[in-house]
Amino acid sequence: MAKLTNFLPGRRRRLERDLQRELQFHLDARVDELRRGGSSDTEAQRQAAIEFGSIVVAQEEVRDTWTWRWLTHLVRDATHAVRLLRRNPGFTAVAVLILTLPIAASSVVFSLVDTALVKPGGGRTDALTAVFNRDRPDGGVYRHFSYPLYLDLRDRSGIFDSVMAHTVALVGVQQGDITRRTFAGIVSSNYFSTLGTPLLAGRAFTGDEERPGNPSVAIASHAVWRQHGSPADFIGSEVRVNGHLFTIVGIAPPDARTTVLVAPEWWFPLGACEQLINQWFQDGPAALTSRANHALFVAGVLRPGVTRAAARERLDALAIQLGDTFPATDDERTFVLGDVPRLSLTPEPPRTGPVAFVAGLLALMAVLVLAVACLNLANLMLARGAARRREFGIRRAIGGGRSRLIAQLLIEGLTLSFAGAAAGIVLAWWAQQALSAWLARAVGLVAVDGVALTLALSWRTIAAASALAVVSAVCFALGPAWRLTRPAVTSDLKDEPDVVRRFGSGSLVGLQLAVSMALLAVGGLFVRSATEAGNADPGFRLDRLLVFSVDPSLGSYDEQRTRALYRTVLERVQATPGVEHASLASKVAFGEFVESGIVATADTPARESLAGFTIVTSGFFDTLRLPILQGRGFTPDEDQRSTAIPPALISEPLARRLFPDGDVLGRRLTFRRGASSTTTDTVTVVGVVPGTAQDIIDADSQAQIHLPSGARFRAPMVLHVATSGVDEQTMLGAVQRELRRIDPQLPILTARTMEAQRDASIPRWAVRASATVFGWFGAVALLIAALGVYGLHTYEVARRTRELGIRQALGATPRDVAALVIGRGLRTTAAGLLLGLVLAIGIGGLASSLLYRVSPLDPLALGLAAFVLGTAALVACAVPAHRATRIAAVDALRTD
Amino acid sequence: MNQGSLYPALHRLEQKRWLRAEWRASDTGRDARFYALTAAGRRQLAVEKETWERLAGAVRLIFQHGE
């Protein structure tokens, strides 16, 4: 084992010293012996030396015993490499920078992909099998599970070792004076044990607590417990959620999550459903024990030895039994087994398609940028190595092995790339923090605290970055190393110009330019996409409009009090100076919540359409400054009173689709809320209004149906306020003060201008994010490519100094020389741009589903990219060209 | 064979832990490195001796038969 450490400088010095003393002792002793025998001083020394043999050889052989030879070489090469790099700080800085950016980008992409797709979930999450159910064996609608159905699955299927049910809800937690909205998990009693994440403290929920009517209990998340200062008596204390008191009975472990990437702040038993589940998540009858209430997501661990195929058979048998026993609700039900989706709790089995696609695209980009960087570095290494041709020539001439030289050059490359990787990891860590913060802010979860989006830098990412470093080092160092250690010895020793050059660096740079062009063009496409999205017309004017999202149900308001509250709110806000109109709506444009349903005409054959669904008060369209196109709007009376067949306002696109003959007013429509709902309502069309966009991407969202607030009750509403042009911040403050005067504890979740609301919407964020990301990729590629061109031509000029000097001596003007250099540059650039164009169109075609109203052949983006890159390349070779003209013929001829 | 090749052999044996080395004062007054067999070294010596004797015996046999 000493062999492992004997190369360390401290030990090495000691070993050397000892060896020196030992050998010296031997020689001195022999010399003394010979002198005593009568020889003279010089005689004795000569004799002793002959007898000893070569000291150097002895020393070398002893050194060989201390540690492995390859280790010695490795350490020596590494220190030499570091020394070499420190001597050329300029080159080192550029090279490390060129590597840092791509490695950082690749690390971030890897981390994203890892988190979204690959990373093992905590506990047994990955061993879980999810169960989905369908109305009919073929093409029926997927639904969540009802509680009784889950019990049937748990008790009668016999295929699960342990199976749990859960759902999530947005709840209002009271902290001091304010109510915060946050995520909560609502779970069965065996949730934590099924997931394999046992509680940190306290107890899990009991089977009794799964049913309503039992004492209200809760389990706190680790984060919340820490937030309160980790008190020892946390268990047993109470917390008020949605107006109800809950007793804390346990603390969850730090890695407890739902199967999705969200870590809720609080956990409640299924029995608390009715107190907690916001109407957004309700679908029909609210009772937990009703077979028609589909609310739960079910997953579990199969019994050991039970395959999915066997399980499926058992489930089919169970489905038939259930169909016979409960024909009203569970007839023709089919069960499907699948993997647990990572990104959402939909009732459908997961398709990783879209996410995998985006991930793949990002990975492709990252790899391309890395490729450009490697090509660039290869060129730089060649250029630098050319200056050392003499050194290598000599070493080869005296018998140095080629593999040793290549190893040395490889180690130089590895040193560079590890430095780049280290810097890249730091950069990636910072970028991830920024990305997480940006994502959390922009996704409107600003109103929902306690969502832990973990995009942390893991060991796997660091390992990936290191692997990338090694691979890139091999790529950019090996080729040049091979080239430089060629056995063309005599010309190297004589420093003659290298003739074989034609194909090498020029094509490398051309390739760089091509890839950079592709990246720049794609970046341009995404930027265009973002600007298009920004300019898209939402169907109404966004200025002078404020939106406030409130939810009295998170406090302790019931329906009656909420209605009274809203009446007061509208009266008082309307009377506030600066306010032109005020109204309420159940959702807001560009918001994160949408309701939709199927609207169908009442005649036969019925025409159907998917439509967005909103509940509005009577002044809504005045507030949005939109005219009523046909018929009438809602009356204040209809805000309060409900009728058997409520009136409805439909948007013009919906009217055109359902009633192509144009006869709209007075017609009947049926409306089924949610594709999986079982309740249908009938409404009468009393007016037609213009369509407005719900978000910038979905054109179909312009089909909308509106009902008056008297017909349906919604607790969470958005207050829309049209102002008369006074400064927006002032008005935001004034309206909020008015709301606080009405009820200081009213949960106000967001307060923004409509423009801010649009900017915060997810699709817009996604578009902007992709524009930023791909734009940055393009910019980095541009920088690297420009550097590459510059480097190439500088090297070219240096290499051809003698030739250029001769040309000048023979009468070439500075212009001719410059033209020579730039001419070469032009050809390379043109070839690279052309190839890049083809590549760009290809990638753009792949990504066209992500582009908003921009075709992959967009001339503006492609042309601009070509122009920018071409200019940069020309400038980059103009500088060396200029330098070439300054070569005095005399100096050039004297270079040798 | 020259004397210098003694030292690589000594150091190799020391690395294999068959020899133990220490600096001690020699009779000339200067420090010298003294080598001694370790227990493992003694065992190895026995093995090597046996191998050598078998080899020597075989060579002797060849010569005897040759005559």
Side-chain angles (χ1 to χ4, degrees):
Chain A
M1 269 307 110
K3 271 198 160 183
L4 207 56
T5 50
N6 276 347
F7 67 89
L8 291 173
R11 288 186 74 119
R12 192 55 186 253
R13 271 199 295 272
R14 196 160 46 87
L15 288 167
E16 287 283 343
R17 226 183 26 236
D18 284 353
L19 179 62
Q20 201 52 35
R21 276 166 65 191
E22 195 176 355
L23 296 182
Q24 193 61 46
F25 174 85
H26 178 115
L27 284 170
D28 290 346
R30 186 69 186 126
V31 166
D32 282 346
E33 209 179 306
L34 288 170
R35 271 223 305 255
R36 271 187 304 223
S39 316
S40 72
D41 223 6
T42 39
E43 263 288 316
Q45 284 191 350
R46 205 180 120 258
Q47 184 66 16
I50 292 176
E51 282 175 7
F52 192 86
S54 163
I55 299 186
V56 174
V57 169
Q59 280 178 332
E60 276 300 312
E61 287 183 4
V62 169
R63 284 189 196 118
D64 265 351
T65 68
W66 286 341
T67 181
W68 298 290
R69 190 178 292 187
W70 60 262
L71 190 57
T72 322
H73 288 326
L74 183 66
V75 172
R76 189 181 310 159
D77 286 342
T79 38
H80 183 67
V82 171
R83 211 181 305 137
L84 214 61
L85 291 177
R86 277 190 21 205
R87 265 219 305 256
N88 296 313
F91 168 80
T92 314
V94 168
V96 169
L97 186 67
I98 289 180
L99 274 175
T100 306
L101 296 169
I103 290 190
S106 307
S107 305
V108 173
V109 168
F110 176 84
S111 185
L112 283 174
V113 171
D114 194 36
T115 309
L117 292 177
V118 175
K119 189 165 76 171
R124 294 197 292 182
T125 319
D126 287 331
L128 290 179
T129 310
V131 192
F132 307 92
N133 73 88
R134 254 183 164 162
D135 276 351
R136 288 191 304 279
D138 56 332
V141 174
Y142 281 99
R143 295 179 188 283
H144 286 302
F145 281 76
S146 64
Y147 181 60
L149 191 60
Y150 158 67
L151 287 180
D152 289 330
L153 216 56
R154 187 185 72 185
D155 301 330
R156 291 169 59 179
S157 69
I159 58 174
F160 284 110
D161 190 32
S162 173
V163 59
M164 60 83 177
H166 78 129
T167 181
V168 293
L170 283 175
V171 299
V173 176
Q174 182 158 36
Q175 267 184 298
D177 273 344
I178 54 172
T179 308
R180 266 171 55 243
R181 193 165 70 172
T182 182
F183 265 116
I186 307 186
V187 301
S188 57
S189 53
N190 58 0
Y191 179 80
F192 291 101
S193 58
T194 308
L195 248 55
T197 54
L199 289 180
L200 206 60
R203 64 165 182 85
F205 300 130
T206 63
D208 277 339
E209 284 158 351
E210 277 183 12
R211 283 182 290 281
N214 285 290
S216 310
V217 293
I219 291 179
S221 68
H222 185 84
V224 155
W225 180 55
R226 266 223 321 265
Q227 221 174 48
H228 280 84
S230 310
D233 58 349
F234 202 52
I235 298 182
S237 60
E238 291 185 325
V239 60
R240 188 178 286 279
V241 178
N242 276 12
H244 304 277
L245 272 178
F246 289 84
T247 314
I248 301 176
V249 298
I251 300 177
D255 58 348
R257 303 185 320 201
T258 60
T259 51
V260 166
L261 295 172
V262 168
E265 267 194 12
W266 293 95
W267 304 85
F268 299 95
L270 289 178
C273 255
E274 280 149 39
Q275 292 157 315
L276 297 176
I277 289 199
N278 188 298
Q279 283 157 326
W280 288 118
F281 296 90
Q282 264 176 9
D283 178 20
L288 184 68
T289 45
S290 154
R291 289 196 82 93
N293 180 12
H294 308 275
L296 303 175
F297 180 83
V298 171
V301 180
L302 290 175
R303 280 234 172 90
V306 176
T307 62
R308 275 204 190 172
R312 223 169 279 135
E313 281 178 15
R314 195 65 204 88
L315 286 177
D316 287 341
L318 180 63
I320 296 180
Q321 284 176 7
L322 290 175
D324 291 335
T325 327
F326 303 103
T329 50
D330 292 315
D331 191 28
E332 284 205 317
R333 194 162 289 292
T334 337
F335 293 105
V336 173
L337 291 174
D339 289 325
V340 174
R342 278 182 170 242
L343 296 175
S344 69
L345 282 182
T346 70
E348 296 178 4
R351 301 168 302 136
T352 47
V355 177
F357 174 68
V358 173
L361 196 63
L362 279 177
L364 178 65
M365 292 303 190
V367 165
L368 282 180
V369 174
L370 195 60
V372 171
C374 284
L375 287 173
N376 204 327
L377 271 175
N379 239 359
L380 282 176
M381 296 292 272
L382 269 177
R384 227 172 108 257
R388 296 160 72 187
R389 262 169 49 225
R390 197 173 208 181
E391 172 197 341
F392 291 135
I394 292 177
R395 286 171 71 171
R396 296 275 283 145
I398 59 177
R402 189 171 189 187
S403 46
R404 271 290 289 132
L405 286 178
I406 291 182
Q408 181 183 342
L409 285 171
L410 251 180
I411 291 189
E412 279 179 32
L414 273 171
T415 316
L416 259 182
S417 65
F418 272 115
I425 289 177
V426 170
L427 186 62
W429 179 82
W430 174 85
Q432 287 208 309
Q433 304 288 88
L435 204 64
S436 299
W438 191 22
L439 179 63
R441 241 196 354 251
V443 173
L445 291 176
V446 110
V448 182
D449 309 322
V451 175
L453 279 173
T454 41
L455 279 184
L457 207 64
S458 62
W459 287 114
R460 297 146 63 91
T461 312
I462 295 183
S466 313
L468 273 176
V470 171
V471 167
S472 28
V474 168
C475 285
F476 71 73
L478 199 57
W482 192 262
R483 252 266 170 76
L484 287 169
T485 53
R486 254 182 12 258
V489 176
T490 48
S491 66
D492 289 349
L493 287 176
K494 282 199 259 177
D495 245 354
E496 268 173 11
D498 185 1
V499 183
V500 196
R501 240 3 137 147
R502 215 85 312 180
F503 188 62
S505 321
S507 54
L508 276 182
V509 170
L511 244 119
Q512 266 183 61
L513 281 172
V515 176
S516 305
M517 165 77 183
L519 286 173
L520 204 57
V522 172
L525 286 177
F526 275 95
V527 170
R528 284 268 288 149
S529 191
T531 38
E532 283 293 311
N535 295 338
D537 178 22
F540 61 98
R541 301 255 316 258
L542 298 178
D543 59 321
R544 295 182 296 142
L545 204 55
L546 309 175
V547 289
F548 303 83
S549 175
V550 297
D551 190 353
S553 74
L554 298 182
S556 37
Y557 282 79
D558 61 7
E559 174 168 346
Q560 208 180 8
R561 286 185 57 208
T562 309
R563 283 191 183 281
L565 172 74
Y566 281 146
R567 265 198 307 273
T568 318
V569 164
L570 283 179
E571 275 170 40
R572 297 266 287 269
V573 171
Q574 190 91 22
T576 309
V579 170
E580 284 182 353
H581 289 285
S583 59
L584 295 164
S586 63
K587 70 160 172 36
V588 63
F590 314 113
E592 58 255 21
F593 293 119
V594 248
E595 277 186 272
S596 58
I598 310 274
V599 179
T601 55
D603 42 43
T604 51
R607 272 180 295 275
E608 280 193 346
S609 173
L610 189 64
F613 168 70
T614 325
I615 297 184
V616 301
T617 57
S618 47
F620 183 66
F621 293 96
D622 292 331
T623 313
L624 287 190
R625 302 185 189 101
L626 291 175
I628 310 279
L629 296 175
Q630 285 185 44
R632 63 168 181 86
F634 293 137
T635 62
D637 191 52
E638 281 159 348
D639 283 347
Q640 310 303 328
R641 222 167 300 282
S642 73
T643 52
I645 302 185
L649 291 171
I650 61 177
S651 67
E652 201 195 339
L654 183 62
R656 268 199 306 261
R657 206 179 295 175
L658 293 180
F659 305 109
D661 55 0
D663 180 23
V664 178
L665 299 179
R667 301 281 287 268
R668 292 270 168 90
L669 290 174
T670 59
F671 173 70
R672 206 168 73 231
R673 212 210 104 190
S676 54
S677 169
T678 43
T679 44
T680 331
D681 301 298
T682 315
V683 298
T684 315
V685 181
V686 300
V688 177
V689 290
T692 57
Q694 174 57 25
D695 65 51
I696 55 174
I697 303 285
D698 191 4
D700 259 350
S701 63
Q702 299 235 355
Q704 290 146 354
I705 182 168
H706 310 270
L707 259 66
S709 51
R712 280 269 180 296
F713 175 63
R714 280 278 182 282
M717 296 285 260
V718 178
L719 175 67
H720 291 65
V721 178
T723 65
S724 59
V726 182
D727 167 55
E728 280 160 352
Q729 291 305 317
T730 323
M731 285 313 300
L732 277 172
V735 174
Q736 275 189 291
R737 273 195 302 276
E738 194 56 48
L739 290 174
R740 291 251 176 272
R741 264 197 287 264
I742 299 174
D743 180 357
Q745 293 198 7
L746 178 66
I748 301 180
L749 302 164
T750 62
R752 313 179 170 131
T753 65
M754 185 57 101
E755 278 149 345
Q757 173 71 20
R758 177 199 59 184
D759 287 340
S761 74
I762 297 178
R764 184 158 160 91
W765 177 86
V767 165
R768 276 198 359 240
S770 45
T772 311
V773 166
F774 290 110
W776 272 104
F777 273 137
V780 167
L782 174 67
L783 182 66
I784 296 179
L787 281 175
V789 172
Y790 174 75
L792 170 71
H793 286 94
T794 307
Y795 166 68
E796 280 287 305
V797 167
R799 188 173 64 81
R800 295 164 74 181
T801 306
R802 210 167 86 174
E803 173 200 341
L804 293 172
I806 292 177
R807 284 178 188 264
Q808 277 200 13
L810 290 178
T813 64
R815 240 221 321 227
D816 293 332
V817 171
L820 198 68
V821 178
I822 294 188
R824 174 100 191 277
L826 265 179
R827 278 195 299 276
T828 324
T829 309
L833 285 183
L834 210 58
L835 183 60
L837 200 66
V838 172
L839 209 61
I841 294 180
I843 298 182
L846 274 179
S848 59
S849 58
L850 295 177
L851 294 173
Y852 180 72
R853 290 209 197 145
V854 172
S855 109
L857 295 171
D858 182 49
L860 188 59
L862 295 178
L864 200 60
F867 178 71
V868 168
L869 200 58
T871 315
L874 277 177
V875 166
C877 58
V879 177
H882 176 71
R883 254 199 242 135
T885 63
R886 310 274 288 298
I887 297 177
V890 183
D891 293 330
L893 291 171
R894 276 212 217 112
T895 302
D896 284 338
Chain B
M1 205 163 100
N2 49 32
Q3 297 172 350
S5 52
L6 177 64
Y7 289 93
L10 281 175
H11 278 254
R12 213 168 294 132
L13 291 177
E14 186 193 348
Q15 283 294 329
K16 290 204 173 134
R17 296 272 187 271
W18 290 335
L19 284 182
R20 195 178 48 239
E22 52 180 354
W23 285 96
R24 281 212 303 263
S26 69
D27 42 2
T28 64
R30 285 217 308 255
D31 281 350
R33 218 153 183 245
F34 285 76
Y35 291 86
L37 275 175
T38 61
R42 254 183 282 271
R43 281 197 297 271
Q44 185 64 22
L45 181 60
V47 170
E48 296 284 346
K49 261 174 87 174
E50 196 197 317
T51 314
W52 176 254
E53 277 173 12
R54 270 211 308 255
L55 180 64
V59 171
R60 208 178 309 128
L61 224 53
I62 293 174
F63 279 133
Q64 280 173 354
H65 271 263
E67 283 160 11

